[in-house]
Amino acid sequence: MKLTKTIALTCLAFSMMAAQAAKADEPFINPDWANSAVYIGAGLGQSRATIDEQRIRAALSANGAAISSFDADERDAGMKLFVGKQLNRYFAVEAGYFDLGKFEFDARTSGNGALRGEAGFRGVNVDLVGQLPLTERLSLLARAGANYAKASTHFSGNRLAAITSPNASERKLNAKVGLGAEYKFSEALAGRVEVERYRVNDAIGNRGDVDLVSFGLVFKLGRPAARPVAASVPAPVAAPVAEPTPVVAEAPVAVSEKVTFAAEALFDFDKSIVKPEGKQALDALVGKLEGMQTEVMIAVGHTDSVGTDAYNDKLSLSRAEAVKAYIVSKGLTPSRVYTEGKGETQPVADNANSAGRAKNRRVSVEVVGTRSPAK
Protein backbone atom coordinates (compact mmCIF):
# COMPACT_ATOMS: atom_id res chain seq x y z
CA MET A 1 0.00 0.00 0.00
CA LYS A 2 2.84 2.40 0.92
CA LEU A 3 4.66 1.71 -2.37
CA THR A 4 1.47 2.15 -4.42
CA LYS A 5 0.70 5.51 -2.84
CA THR A 6 4.28 6.71 -3.29
CA ILE A 7 4.33 5.76 -6.99
CA ALA A 8 0.93 7.34 -7.68
CA LEU A 9 1.77 10.61 -5.97
CA THR A 10 5.22 10.82 -7.51
CA CYS A 11 3.80 10.32 -11.03
CA LEU A 12 1.18 12.99 -10.45
CA ALA A 13 3.77 15.42 -9.10
CA PHE A 14 6.17 14.99 -12.01
CA SER A 15 3.45 15.17 -14.66
CA MET A 16 2.20 18.51 -13.36
CA MET A 17 5.70 19.88 -12.86
CA ALA A 18 6.73 18.85 -16.38
CA ALA A 19 3.68 20.52 -17.88
CA GLN A 20 4.53 23.80 -16.16
CA ALA A 21 8.34 23.73 -16.11
CA ALA A 22 8.60 26.04 -19.11
CA LYS A 23 6.35 28.60 -17.43
CA ALA A 24 8.17 28.81 -14.08
CA ASP A 25 9.02 32.35 -12.92
CA GLU A 26 6.79 33.87 -15.60
CA PRO A 27 5.00 37.14 -14.78
CA PHE A 28 1.53 36.92 -13.26
CA ILE A 29 -0.93 38.58 -15.66
CA ASN A 30 -4.27 36.89 -14.82
CA PRO A 31 -4.96 37.74 -11.15
CA ASP A 32 -8.73 37.79 -11.67
CA TRP A 33 -8.63 34.22 -13.01
CA ALA A 34 -6.15 33.00 -10.39
CA ASN A 35 -8.30 34.36 -7.55
CA SER A 36 -11.45 32.55 -8.75
CA ALA A 37 -10.10 29.37 -10.36
CA VAL A 38 -11.00 25.76 -9.66
CA TYR A 39 -7.96 23.65 -8.77
CA ILE A 40 -6.89 20.08 -8.09
CA GLY A 41 -4.06 18.78 -5.96
CA ALA A 42 -2.37 15.95 -4.13
CA GLY A 43 -0.17 15.58 -1.07
CA LEU A 44 2.13 12.86 0.23
CA GLY A 45 3.92 12.68 3.57
CA GLN A 46 4.20 11.00 6.92
CA SER A 47 1.36 10.40 9.36
CA ARG A 48 1.69 9.78 13.08
CA ALA A 49 -0.74 8.48 15.71
CA THR A 50 -0.45 7.72 19.41
CA ILE A 51 -1.33 4.16 20.46
CA ASP A 52 -2.93 3.99 23.92
CA GLU A 53 -0.52 1.59 25.61
CA GLN A 54 -2.01 2.14 29.07
CA ARG A 55 -5.46 1.08 27.94
CA ILE A 56 -4.09 -2.08 26.30
CA ARG A 57 -2.13 -2.94 29.47
CA ALA A 58 -5.26 -2.47 31.58
CA ALA A 59 -7.33 -4.70 29.28
CA LEU A 60 -4.75 -7.50 29.38
CA SER A 61 -4.30 -7.16 33.15
CA ALA A 62 -8.05 -7.50 33.66
CA ASN A 63 -7.79 -10.72 31.62
CA GLY A 64 -5.13 -12.09 33.94
CA ALA A 65 -2.03 -11.32 31.84
CA ALA A 66 0.88 -8.95 32.47
CA ILE A 67 2.71 -7.33 29.53
CA SER A 68 6.38 -8.28 29.33
CA SER A 69 7.18 -6.28 26.19
CA PHE A 70 5.33 -3.76 24.05
CA ASP A 71 6.37 -2.54 20.58
CA ALA A 72 4.44 0.04 18.60
CA ASP A 73 4.70 1.41 15.05
CA GLU A 74 3.00 4.81 15.22
CA ARG A 75 4.15 6.16 11.83
CA ASP A 76 3.12 5.42 8.26
CA ALA A 77 2.88 7.07 4.82
CA GLY A 78 -0.17 9.28 4.39
CA MET A 79 -1.70 10.83 1.28
CA LYS A 80 -4.53 13.07 0.18
CA LEU A 81 -6.26 14.08 -3.06
CA PHE A 82 -8.38 17.19 -3.23
CA VAL A 83 -10.30 19.63 -5.41
CA GLY A 84 -10.85 23.26 -4.47
CA LYS A 85 -12.42 26.55 -5.50
CA GLN A 86 -10.63 29.84 -4.96
CA LEU A 87 -13.22 32.28 -3.55
CA ASN A 88 -10.87 35.27 -3.68
CA ARG A 89 -7.23 36.03 -2.98
CA TYR A 90 -7.57 35.14 0.70
CA PHE A 91 -10.03 32.23 0.95
CA ALA A 92 -10.78 28.90 -0.76
CA VAL A 93 -12.89 25.83 -0.06
CA GLU A 94 -11.58 22.29 -0.55
CA ALA A 95 -13.05 18.79 -0.57
CA GLY A 96 -10.82 15.76 -0.54
CA TYR A 97 -10.07 12.11 0.12
CA PHE A 98 -7.36 11.03 2.57
CA ASP A 99 -5.63 7.82 3.65
CA LEU A 100 -3.63 8.22 6.86
CA GLY A 101 -2.13 4.73 6.76
CA LYS A 102 -2.06 1.97 9.42
CA PHE A 103 -0.61 1.90 12.93
CA GLU A 104 0.36 -1.30 14.73
CA PHE A 105 1.39 -2.72 18.11
CA ASP A 106 2.74 -6.06 19.31
CA ALA A 107 2.25 -6.89 23.02
CA ARG A 108 3.92 -9.92 24.64
CA THR A 109 2.52 -11.18 27.96
CA SER A 110 3.25 -13.69 30.66
CA GLY A 111 2.46 -17.29 29.82
CA ASN A 112 3.73 -16.91 26.22
CA GLY A 113 0.77 -14.69 25.41
CA ALA A 114 0.62 -12.33 22.46
CA LEU A 115 -1.73 -9.67 21.24
CA ARG A 116 -1.15 -7.86 17.97
CA GLY A 117 -3.32 -5.08 16.60
CA GLU A 118 -3.53 -2.53 13.81
CA ALA A 119 -5.78 0.41 13.04
CA GLY A 120 -6.18 2.22 9.70
CA PHE A 121 -7.94 5.47 8.86
CA ARG A 122 -9.25 6.82 5.58
CA GLY A 123 -12.11 9.10 4.62
CA VAL A 124 -13.24 12.40 3.14
CA ASN A 125 -13.05 16.00 4.30
CA VAL A 126 -14.32 19.53 3.60
CA ASP A 127 -12.20 22.53 4.65
CA LEU A 128 -12.19 26.31 4.54
CA VAL A 129 -8.66 27.45 3.65
CA GLY A 130 -7.33 30.89 4.55
CA GLN A 131 -4.34 32.34 2.67
CA LEU A 132 -2.13 35.22 3.84
CA PRO A 133 0.15 36.49 1.01
CA LEU A 134 3.64 37.42 2.22
CA THR A 135 5.04 38.09 -1.26
CA GLU A 136 3.81 37.73 -4.82
CA ARG A 137 4.57 33.99 -4.71
CA LEU A 138 4.71 32.96 -1.02
CA SER A 139 1.63 32.65 1.23
CA LEU A 140 0.86 31.22 4.66
CA LEU A 141 -2.06 28.78 4.92
CA ALA A 142 -4.49 27.91 7.71
CA ARG A 143 -7.40 25.49 7.42
CA ALA A 144 -10.33 24.32 9.51
CA GLY A 145 -12.96 21.79 8.56
CA ALA A 146 -14.54 18.41 9.15
CA ASN A 147 -13.47 14.87 8.29
CA TYR A 148 -15.64 11.76 7.97
CA ALA A 149 -13.25 8.89 8.60
CA LYS A 150 -13.63 5.12 8.56
CA ALA A 151 -11.52 3.38 11.21
CA SER A 152 -10.72 -0.30 10.62
CA THR A 153 -9.13 -2.35 13.44
CA HIS A 154 -7.83 -5.90 13.42
CA PHE A 155 -6.41 -7.96 16.32
CA SER A 156 -4.65 -11.33 16.36
CA GLY A 157 -2.84 -13.52 18.87
CA ASN A 158 -3.79 -15.82 21.75
CA ARG A 159 -4.95 -13.02 24.07
CA LEU A 160 -8.01 -11.98 22.08
CA ALA A 161 -10.21 -12.44 25.16
CA ALA A 162 -9.00 -9.01 26.25
CA ILE A 163 -10.60 -7.50 23.14
CA THR A 164 -14.33 -7.09 22.61
CA SER A 165 -14.13 -7.67 18.85
CA PRO A 166 -11.06 -8.81 16.85
CA ASN A 167 -12.32 -7.04 13.72
CA ALA A 168 -14.22 -3.80 14.01
CA SER A 169 -14.88 -0.68 11.95
CA GLU A 170 -16.53 2.62 12.68
CA ARG A 171 -17.37 5.80 10.79
CA LYS A 172 -17.36 9.12 12.61
CA LEU A 173 -17.55 12.83 11.79
CA ASN A 174 -14.85 14.85 13.54
CA ALA A 175 -12.93 18.10 13.17
CA LYS A 176 -9.61 18.76 11.46
CA VAL A 177 -7.24 21.74 11.38
CA GLY A 178 -3.98 22.59 9.68
CA LEU A 179 -1.19 25.11 9.06
CA GLY A 180 1.21 25.43 6.15
CA ALA A 181 2.80 27.49 3.42
CA GLU A 182 2.34 27.71 -0.36
CA TYR A 183 4.84 28.80 -3.02
CA LYS A 184 3.57 29.62 -6.53
CA PHE A 185 5.87 28.38 -9.27
CA SER A 186 3.54 30.04 -11.78
CA GLU A 187 -0.03 31.32 -11.83
CA ALA A 188 -1.22 27.75 -12.43
CA LEU A 189 1.18 25.60 -10.35
CA ALA A 190 2.06 25.84 -6.66
CA GLY A 191 3.76 23.69 -4.04
CA ARG A 192 2.55 23.29 -0.45
CA VAL A 193 4.03 22.13 2.84
CA GLU A 194 1.36 21.43 5.50
CA VAL A 195 0.85 20.02 8.97
CA GLU A 196 -2.72 18.76 9.59
CA ARG A 197 -4.42 17.18 12.58
CA TYR A 198 -7.33 14.78 12.07
CA ARG A 199 -9.56 13.95 15.04
CA VAL A 200 -10.56 10.25 14.77
CA ASN A 201 -12.25 7.35 16.59
CA ASP A 202 -10.48 3.96 16.47
CA ALA A 203 -13.58 1.66 16.47
CA ILE A 204 -12.90 0.19 19.94
CA GLY A 205 -13.83 3.16 22.06
CA ASN A 206 -10.70 5.30 21.79
CA ARG A 207 -10.69 8.84 20.46
CA GLY A 208 -7.52 10.64 19.48
CA ASP A 209 -5.59 12.51 16.82
CA VAL A 210 -3.62 11.56 13.72
CA ASP A 211 -1.15 14.15 12.39
CA LEU A 212 -0.11 14.34 8.73
CA VAL A 213 2.96 16.27 7.55
CA SER A 214 2.87 16.46 3.75
CA PHE A 215 4.29 18.06 0.63
CA GLY A 216 1.71 18.72 -2.07
CA LEU A 217 1.18 20.23 -5.50
CA VAL A 218 -1.77 22.39 -6.57
CA PHE A 219 -2.76 22.95 -10.21
CA LYS A 220 -5.33 25.57 -11.23
CA LEU A 221 -7.59 24.71 -14.17
CA GLY A 222 -8.79 26.77 -17.12
CA ARG A 223 -6.00 29.28 -17.55
CA PRO A 224 -7.01 31.94 -20.14
CA ALA A 225 -5.25 31.80 -23.48
CA ALA A 226 -4.01 34.84 -25.33
CA ARG A 227 -6.75 36.40 -27.41
CA PRO A 228 -6.10 36.39 -31.17
CA VAL A 229 -6.10 39.63 -33.11
CA ALA A 230 -9.30 40.10 -35.07
CA ALA A 231 -8.60 40.49 -38.76
CA SER A 232 -9.86 43.76 -40.21
CA VAL A 233 -11.75 43.48 -43.47
CA PRO A 234 -11.57 46.60 -45.68
CA ALA A 235 -14.88 48.01 -46.85
CA PRO A 236 -15.64 47.48 -50.55
CA VAL A 237 -14.85 50.48 -52.77
CA ALA A 238 -17.49 51.46 -55.30
CA ALA A 239 -16.33 51.62 -58.92
CA PRO A 240 -16.05 55.22 -60.25
CA VAL A 241 -18.67 56.38 -62.73
CA ALA A 242 -16.25 58.46 -64.72
CA GLU A 243 -13.52 56.98 -66.81
CA PRO A 244 -10.96 55.64 -64.37
CA THR A 245 -7.56 57.22 -64.12
CA PRO A 246 -4.52 55.26 -63.05
CA VAL A 247 -3.92 55.49 -59.33
CA VAL A 248 -0.47 54.92 -57.97
CA ALA A 249 -0.65 53.39 -54.50
CA GLU A 250 1.46 55.21 -51.98
CA ALA A 251 4.03 53.04 -50.24
CA PRO A 252 3.51 52.45 -46.53
CA VAL A 253 5.57 54.78 -44.38
CA ALA A 254 8.06 53.30 -41.92
CA VAL A 255 7.39 54.63 -38.45
CA SER A 256 8.91 54.25 -34.99
CA GLU A 257 6.99 55.16 -31.87
CA LYS A 258 8.35 55.15 -28.34
CA VAL A 259 6.39 55.49 -25.09
CA THR A 260 7.82 55.56 -21.56
CA PHE A 261 5.73 54.66 -18.53
CA ALA A 262 6.58 55.45 -14.93
CA ALA A 263 6.96 52.15 -13.08
CA GLU A 264 4.52 53.34 -10.41
CA ALA A 265 1.87 53.73 -13.12
CA LEU A 266 2.15 50.05 -14.07
CA PHE A 267 3.16 48.22 -10.89
CA ASP A 268 2.83 48.34 -7.13
CA PHE A 269 6.01 48.97 -5.16
CA ASP A 270 8.64 46.22 -5.64
CA LYS A 271 6.16 44.10 -7.69
CA SER A 272 6.05 42.88 -11.29
CA ILE A 273 2.30 42.27 -11.61
CA VAL A 274 0.58 44.79 -13.89
CA LYS A 275 -2.05 46.53 -11.78
CA PRO A 276 -5.47 47.64 -13.17
CA GLU A 277 -4.33 51.23 -13.81
CA GLY A 278 -1.31 49.89 -15.64
CA LYS A 279 -3.51 47.69 -17.82
CA GLN A 280 -5.51 50.77 -18.82
CA ALA A 281 -2.30 52.57 -19.84
CA LEU A 282 -1.15 49.57 -21.90
CA ASP A 283 -4.62 49.25 -23.45
CA ALA A 284 -4.27 52.85 -24.61
CA LEU A 285 -0.91 52.01 -26.20
CA VAL A 286 -2.39 48.97 -27.98
CA GLY A 287 -5.20 51.20 -29.25
CA LYS A 288 -2.68 53.58 -30.82
CA LEU A 289 -1.15 50.68 -32.73
CA GLU A 290 -4.34 50.01 -34.69
CA GLY A 291 -3.64 50.44 -38.38
CA MET A 292 0.09 49.85 -37.93
CA GLN A 293 1.81 46.77 -39.31
CA THR A 294 4.03 46.05 -36.30
CA GLU A 295 7.43 44.63 -37.22
CA VAL A 296 9.04 44.60 -33.78
CA MET A 297 8.29 45.84 -30.27
CA ILE A 298 10.90 46.20 -27.53
CA ALA A 299 10.01 46.60 -23.84
CA VAL A 300 12.91 47.78 -21.67
CA GLY A 301 12.73 47.92 -17.87
CA HIS A 302 14.77 50.30 -15.71
CA THR A 303 15.16 50.83 -11.95
CA ASP A 304 16.66 53.39 -9.59
CA SER A 305 19.91 52.71 -7.70
CA VAL A 306 18.27 51.41 -4.51
CA GLY A 307 19.12 47.73 -3.97
CA THR A 308 21.80 45.43 -5.36
CA ASP A 309 22.72 45.31 -9.04
CA ALA A 310 21.57 41.68 -9.32
CA TYR A 311 18.19 42.41 -7.72
CA ASN A 312 17.57 45.48 -9.90
CA ASP A 313 18.54 43.58 -13.07
CA LYS A 314 16.03 40.84 -12.22
CA LEU A 315 13.26 43.31 -11.25
CA SER A 316 13.69 45.39 -14.42
CA LEU A 317 13.56 42.28 -16.63
CA SER A 318 10.54 40.88 -14.74
CA ARG A 319 8.65 44.13 -15.32
CA ALA A 320 9.55 44.18 -19.01
CA GLU A 321 8.38 40.54 -19.28
CA ALA A 322 5.10 41.44 -17.52
CA VAL A 323 4.48 44.24 -20.04
CA LYS A 324 5.23 41.82 -22.91
CA ALA A 325 2.91 39.17 -21.48
CA TYR A 326 0.03 41.61 -21.16
CA ILE A 327 0.49 43.03 -24.68
CA VAL A 328 0.73 39.50 -26.12
CA SER A 329 -2.51 38.64 -24.32
CA LYS A 330 -4.10 41.39 -26.43
CA GLY A 331 -3.12 39.58 -29.62
CA LEU A 332 0.34 40.76 -30.66
CA THR A 333 2.53 37.94 -32.00
CA PRO A 334 4.95 36.87 -29.23
CA SER A 335 7.87 36.44 -31.64
CA ARG A 336 7.70 40.16 -32.51
CA VAL A 337 8.03 41.32 -28.90
CA TYR A 338 11.43 41.50 -27.21
CA THR A 339 12.39 42.39 -23.64
CA GLU A 340 15.44 43.78 -21.89
CA GLY A 341 16.25 44.59 -18.30
CA LYS A 342 18.73 47.42 -17.87
CA GLY A 343 18.52 47.61 -14.07
CA GLU A 344 20.02 50.87 -12.80
CA THR A 345 22.56 51.27 -15.65
CA GLN A 346 20.71 53.92 -17.72
CA PRO A 347 19.40 56.64 -15.38
CA VAL A 348 17.70 59.67 -16.90
CA ALA A 349 17.81 61.67 -13.67
CA ASP A 350 19.84 61.98 -10.46
CA ASN A 351 19.36 59.02 -8.09
CA ALA A 352 20.40 61.20 -5.14
CA ASN A 353 16.85 62.49 -4.63
CA SER A 354 13.39 60.91 -4.63
CA ALA A 355 12.15 62.86 -7.68
CA GLY A 356 15.10 61.63 -9.73
CA ARG A 357 14.71 58.04 -8.54
CA ALA A 358 11.02 58.12 -9.52
CA LYS A 359 11.98 59.16 -13.09
CA ASN A 360 14.50 56.32 -13.28
CA ARG A 361 11.92 53.69 -12.34
CA ARG A 362 10.34 53.24 -15.75
CA VAL A 363 9.47 50.89 -18.60
CA SER A 364 9.92 52.11 -22.17
CA VAL A 365 8.13 50.50 -25.09
CA GLU A 366 9.38 51.15 -28.63
CA VAL A 367 7.40 49.99 -31.65
CA VAL A 368 8.78 49.80 -35.19
CA GLY A 369 6.49 49.15 -38.12
CA THR A 370 4.78 50.60 -41.16
CA ARG A 371 1.64 52.66 -41.38
CA SER A 372 -0.34 53.42 -44.51
CA PRO A 373 -0.50 57.16 -45.35
CA ALA A 374 -3.67 58.96 -44.32
CA LYS A 375 -6.11 59.52 -47.18
Side-chain angles (χ1 to χ4, degrees):
M1 180 62 183
K2 294 181 181 179
L3 179 60
T4 302
K5 289 191 290 189
T6 301
I7 293 175
L9 268 295
T10 301
C11 291
L12 177 62
F14 279 102
S15 65
M16 291 195 296
M17 291 181 70
Q20 289 295 312
K23 297 183 178 180
D25 293 328
E26 65 184 3
F28 294 174
I29 61 172
N30 296 297
D32 294 337
W33 164 76
N35 293 332
S36 62
V38 173
Y39 58 88
I40 58 174
L44 177 66
Q46 185 178 78
S47 56
R48 179 174 182 175
T50 300
I51 294 177
D52 192 349
E53 180 180 347
Q54 294 304 317
R55 178 167 178 162
I56 296 171
R57 285 180 178 273
L60 289 170
S61 178
N63 194 247
I67 291 182
S68 57
S69 67
F70 186 89
D71 296 316
D73 183 358
E74 299 178 326
R75 300 174 187 269
D76 198 0
M79 57 84 71
K80 61 179 183 175
L81 302 170
F82 55 90
V83 60
K85 174 68 168 69
Q86 199 73 37
L87 303 178
N88 52 45
R89 186 180 182 186
Y90 303 101
F91 291 100
V93 291
E94 288 183 8
Y97 167 81
F98 61 86
D99 186 341
L100 302 178
K102 294 182 178 180
F103 312 97
E104 304 171 346
F105 74 87
D106 186 353
R108 299 292 173 171
T109 73
S110 56
N112 294 321
L115 178 65
R116 291 175 292 275
E118 67 175 26
F121 304 92
R122 62 179 64 183
V124 295
N125 66 280
V126 176
D127 296 343
L128 176 65
V129 182
Q131 299 165 315
L132 177 62
L134 300 181
T135 67
E136 181 180 274
R137 296 181 182 273
L138 180 64
S139 300
L140 296 180
L141 303 178
R143 65 172 65 238
N147 79 87
Y148 185 70
K150 177 184 178 181
S152 300
T153 57
H154 174 70
F155 297 94
S156 61
N158 56 15
R159 289 293 183 180
L160 293 178
I163 303 299
T164 304
S165 174
N167 296 288
S169 65
E170 185 173 1
R171 293 176 173 83
K172 284 288 186 179
L173 181 66
N174 285 296
K176 71 179 292 276
V177 294
L179 294 173
E182 178 180 280
Y183 183 81
K184 297 178 177 64
F185 303 115
S186 69
E187 277 189 316
L189 181 66
R192 287 182 180 178
V193 176
E194 293 190 89
V195 179
E196 297 169 278
R197 171 159 289 182
Y198 295 76
R199 191 71 166 166
V200 295
N201 294 69
D202 69 357
I204 58 171
N206 292 330
R207 191 170 184 232
D209 301 313
V210 178
D211 296 329
L212 175 64
V213 180
S214 66
F215 168 77
L217 289 172
V218 180
F219 183 72
K220 292 184 176 178
L221 306 175
R223 186 175 188 178
R227 289 175 291 182
V229 178
S232 58
V233 180
V237 179
V241 176
E243 183 176 332
T245 56
V247 177
V248 179
E250 296 184 49
V253 179
V255 294
S256 175
E257 299 182 9
K258 184 174 182 179
V259 180
T260 299
F261 300 94
E264 286 80 356
L266 298 179
F267 310 97
D268 288 324
F269 176 73
D270 202 31
K271 303 293 184 182
S272 59
I273 300 176
V274 181
K275 60 184 182 180
E277 299 88 337
K279 292 179 181 180
Q280 293 177 3
L282 294 177
D283 287 342
L285 171 62
V286 173
K288 292 179 181 180
L289 301 181
E290 292 185 4
M292 176 188 290
Q293 181 64 40
T294 302
E295 299 297 334
V296 65
M297 176 183 290
I298 303 175
V300 183
H302 304 269
T303 69
D304 58 26
S305 61
V306 178
T308 65
D309 292 346
Y311 180 82
N312 287 333
D313 289 344
K314 183 177 179 180
L315 178 61
S316 64
L317 181 59
S318 294
R319 287 180 165 177
E321 291 285 354
V323 169
K324 171 183 175 178
Y326 185 75
I327 291 176
V328 167
S329 75
K330 294 297 181 179
L332 196 66
T333 304
S335 61
R336 297 182 184 273
V337 186
Y338 299 86
T339 58
E340 291 185 64
K342 296 295 186 180
E344 59 187 76
T345 61
Q346 295 184 354
V348 294
D350 191 349
N351 275 310
N353 57 74
S354 58
R357 290 192 295 271
K359 291 180 180 179
N360 291 332
R361 296 190 296 267
R362 67 196 190 277
V363 176
S364 62
V365 181
E366 184 171 2
V367 185
V368 177
T370 56
R371 192 186 294 276
S372 299
K375 299 297 182 180

Short mmCIF file of all heavy atoms in Angstrom, two decimals, residues 24 42 76 86 159-160 181 203 210 223 243-244 258 281 283 295-296 298 306 315 319-320 341 354:
data_model
loop_
_atom_site.label_atom_id
_atom_site.label_comp_id
_atom_site.label_asym_id
_atom_site.label_seq_id
_atom_site.Cartn_x
_atom_site.Cartn_y
_atom_site.Cartn_z
N ALA A 24 7.74 28.42 -15.42
CA ALA A 24 8.17 28.81 -14.08
C ALA A 24 8.77 30.20 -14.12
O ALA A 24 9.44 30.60 -15.08
CB ALA A 24 9.19 27.81 -13.56
N ALA A 42 -2.69 17.19 -4.83
CA ALA A 42 -2.37 15.95 -4.13
C ALA A 42 -1.26 16.23 -3.15
O ALA A 42 -0.44 17.13 -3.35
CB ALA A 42 -1.96 14.86 -5.13
N ASP A 76 3.38 6.06 9.55
CA ASP A 76 3.12 5.42 8.26
C ASP A 76 3.11 6.51 7.19
O ASP A 76 3.17 7.71 7.49
CB ASP A 76 1.79 4.67 8.28
CG ASP A 76 1.68 3.65 7.14
OD1 ASP A 76 2.64 3.54 6.35
OD2 ASP A 76 0.65 2.98 7.04
N GLN A 86 -11.14 28.60 -5.52
CA GLN A 86 -10.63 29.84 -4.96
C GLN A 86 -11.79 30.84 -4.90
O GLN A 86 -12.39 31.18 -5.92
CB GLN A 86 -9.50 30.39 -5.84
CG GLN A 86 -8.61 31.39 -5.17
CD GLN A 86 -7.68 30.76 -4.15
OE1 GLN A 86 -7.19 29.66 -4.35
NE2 GLN A 86 -7.45 31.46 -3.05
N ARG A 159 -4.36 -13.78 22.97
CA ARG A 159 -4.95 -13.02 24.07
C ARG A 159 -6.14 -12.18 23.59
O ARG A 159 -6.40 -11.09 24.08
CB ARG A 159 -3.90 -12.10 24.69
CG ARG A 159 -2.84 -12.84 25.49
CD ARG A 159 -3.42 -13.47 26.74
NE ARG A 159 -2.40 -14.14 27.56
CZ ARG A 159 -2.66 -14.76 28.69
NH1 ARG A 159 -3.91 -14.82 29.13
NH2 ARG A 159 -1.69 -15.33 29.38
N LEU A 160 -6.87 -12.72 22.64
CA LEU A 160 -8.01 -11.98 22.08
C LEU A 160 -9.15 -11.82 23.07
O LEU A 160 -10.05 -11.00 22.85
CB LEU A 160 -8.52 -12.69 20.82
CG LEU A 160 -7.57 -12.68 19.62
CD1 LEU A 160 -8.19 -13.44 18.45
CD2 LEU A 160 -7.24 -11.26 19.19
N ALA A 181 2.33 26.42 4.29
CA ALA A 181 2.80 27.49 3.42
C ALA A 181 2.67 27.04 1.97
O ALA A 181 2.74 25.84 1.67
CB ALA A 181 4.25 27.85 3.73
N ALA A 203 -12.64 2.79 16.59
CA ALA A 203 -13.58 1.66 16.47
C ALA A 203 -13.63 0.76 17.68
O ALA A 203 -14.42 -0.19 17.72
CB ALA A 203 -13.29 0.82 15.22
N VAL A 210 -4.66 12.01 14.65
CA VAL A 210 -3.62 11.56 13.72
C VAL A 210 -3.10 12.80 13.01
O VAL A 210 -3.88 13.59 12.45
CB VAL A 210 -4.17 10.55 12.70
CG1 VAL A 210 -3.05 10.15 11.72
CG2 VAL A 210 -4.73 9.32 13.39
N ARG A 223 -6.74 28.03 -17.38
CA ARG A 223 -6.00 29.28 -17.55
C ARG A 223 -6.35 29.94 -18.88
O ARG A 223 -6.35 29.29 -19.92
CB ARG A 223 -4.49 29.00 -17.49
CG ARG A 223 -3.67 30.27 -17.51
CD ARG A 223 -2.21 29.96 -17.32
NE ARG A 223 -1.45 31.18 -17.15
CZ ARG A 223 -0.16 31.21 -16.92
NH1 ARG A 223 0.50 30.09 -16.82
NH2 ARG A 223 0.47 32.35 -16.77
N GLU A 243 -14.57 57.83 -66.28
CA GLU A 243 -13.52 56.98 -66.81
C GLU A 243 -12.39 56.92 -65.81
O GLU A 243 -11.90 57.95 -65.33
CB GLU A 243 -13.02 57.56 -68.14
CG GLU A 243 -11.96 56.68 -68.80
CD GLU A 243 -11.57 57.24 -70.15
OE1 GLU A 243 -12.41 57.90 -70.79
OE2 GLU A 243 -10.43 57.01 -70.57
N PRO A 244 -11.97 55.75 -65.42
CA PRO A 244 -10.96 55.64 -64.37
C PRO A 244 -9.61 56.19 -64.82
O PRO A 244 -9.25 56.10 -65.99
CB PRO A 244 -10.88 54.14 -64.11
CG PRO A 244 -11.34 53.50 -65.38
CD PRO A 244 -12.38 54.44 -65.95
N LYS A 258 7.81 55.54 -29.63
CA LYS A 258 8.35 55.15 -28.34
C LYS A 258 7.56 55.82 -27.22
O LYS A 258 7.30 57.01 -27.26
CB LYS A 258 9.83 55.53 -28.22
CG LYS A 258 10.49 55.07 -26.93
CD LYS A 258 11.99 55.36 -26.94
CE LYS A 258 12.66 54.84 -25.68
NZ LYS A 258 14.12 55.10 -25.69
N ALA A 281 -3.33 51.84 -19.09
CA ALA A 281 -2.30 52.57 -19.84
C ALA A 281 -1.80 51.73 -21.02
O ALA A 281 -1.61 52.26 -22.12
CB ALA A 281 -1.15 52.94 -18.91
N ASP A 283 -3.51 49.33 -22.49
CA ASP A 283 -4.62 49.25 -23.45
C ASP A 283 -4.62 50.47 -24.37
O ASP A 283 -4.90 50.36 -25.58
CB ASP A 283 -5.96 49.15 -22.71
CG ASP A 283 -6.16 47.79 -22.06
OD1 ASP A 283 -5.46 46.85 -22.46
OD2 ASP A 283 -7.02 47.69 -21.17
N GLU A 295 6.32 45.51 -36.88
CA GLU A 295 7.43 44.63 -37.22
C GLU A 295 8.12 44.11 -35.96
O GLU A 295 8.44 42.93 -35.86
CB GLU A 295 8.44 45.37 -38.10
CG GLU A 295 7.87 45.86 -39.42
CD GLU A 295 7.40 44.70 -40.31
OE1 GLU A 295 7.94 43.59 -40.15
OE2 GLU A 295 6.51 44.92 -41.14
N VAL A 296 8.36 45.00 -35.00
CA VAL A 296 9.04 44.60 -33.78
C VAL A 296 8.65 45.57 -32.66
O VAL A 296 8.40 46.75 -32.90
CB VAL A 296 10.58 44.58 -33.98
CG1 VAL A 296 11.10 45.98 -34.25
CG2 VAL A 296 11.26 43.99 -32.75
N ILE A 298 9.89 46.45 -28.56
CA ILE A 298 10.90 46.20 -27.53
C ILE A 298 10.45 46.87 -26.24
O ILE A 298 10.19 48.08 -26.21
CB ILE A 298 12.28 46.75 -27.95
CG1 ILE A 298 12.72 46.14 -29.28
CG2 ILE A 298 13.32 46.45 -26.86
CD1 ILE A 298 14.00 46.72 -29.81
N VAL A 306 18.50 52.04 -5.81
CA VAL A 306 18.27 51.41 -4.51
C VAL A 306 18.27 49.89 -4.68
O VAL A 306 17.58 49.36 -5.54
CB VAL A 306 16.93 51.88 -3.91
CG1 VAL A 306 16.69 51.17 -2.57
CG2 VAL A 306 16.94 53.39 -3.71
N LEU A 315 14.53 42.58 -11.34
CA LEU A 315 13.26 43.31 -11.25
C LEU A 315 12.95 44.02 -12.56
O LEU A 315 11.81 43.99 -13.04
CB LEU A 315 13.31 44.31 -10.10
CG LEU A 315 12.05 45.17 -9.91
CD1 LEU A 315 10.84 44.29 -9.60
CD2 LEU A 315 12.27 46.20 -8.80
N ARG A 319 9.66 43.14 -14.95
CA ARG A 319 8.65 44.13 -15.32
C ARG A 319 8.52 44.24 -16.84
O ARG A 319 7.40 44.37 -17.35
CB ARG A 319 9.00 45.48 -14.70
CG ARG A 319 8.74 45.49 -13.18
CD ARG A 319 9.09 46.81 -12.54
NE ARG A 319 8.50 46.88 -11.20
CZ ARG A 319 8.66 47.89 -10.37
NH1 ARG A 319 9.40 48.94 -10.73
NH2 ARG A 319 8.10 47.89 -9.18
N ALA A 320 9.63 44.17 -17.54
CA ALA A 320 9.55 44.18 -19.01
C ALA A 320 8.81 42.93 -19.51
O ALA A 320 7.99 43.02 -20.44
CB ALA A 320 10.95 44.25 -19.61
N GLY A 341 16.21 44.00 -19.63
CA GLY A 341 16.25 44.59 -18.30
C GLY A 341 17.56 45.30 -18.10
O GLY A 341 18.62 44.68 -18.08
N SER A 354 14.55 61.76 -4.36
CA SER A 354 13.39 60.91 -4.63
C SER A 354 12.75 61.22 -5.98
O SER A 354 12.28 60.33 -6.67
CB SER A 354 12.34 61.08 -3.52
OG SER A 354 11.93 62.43 -3.40
#
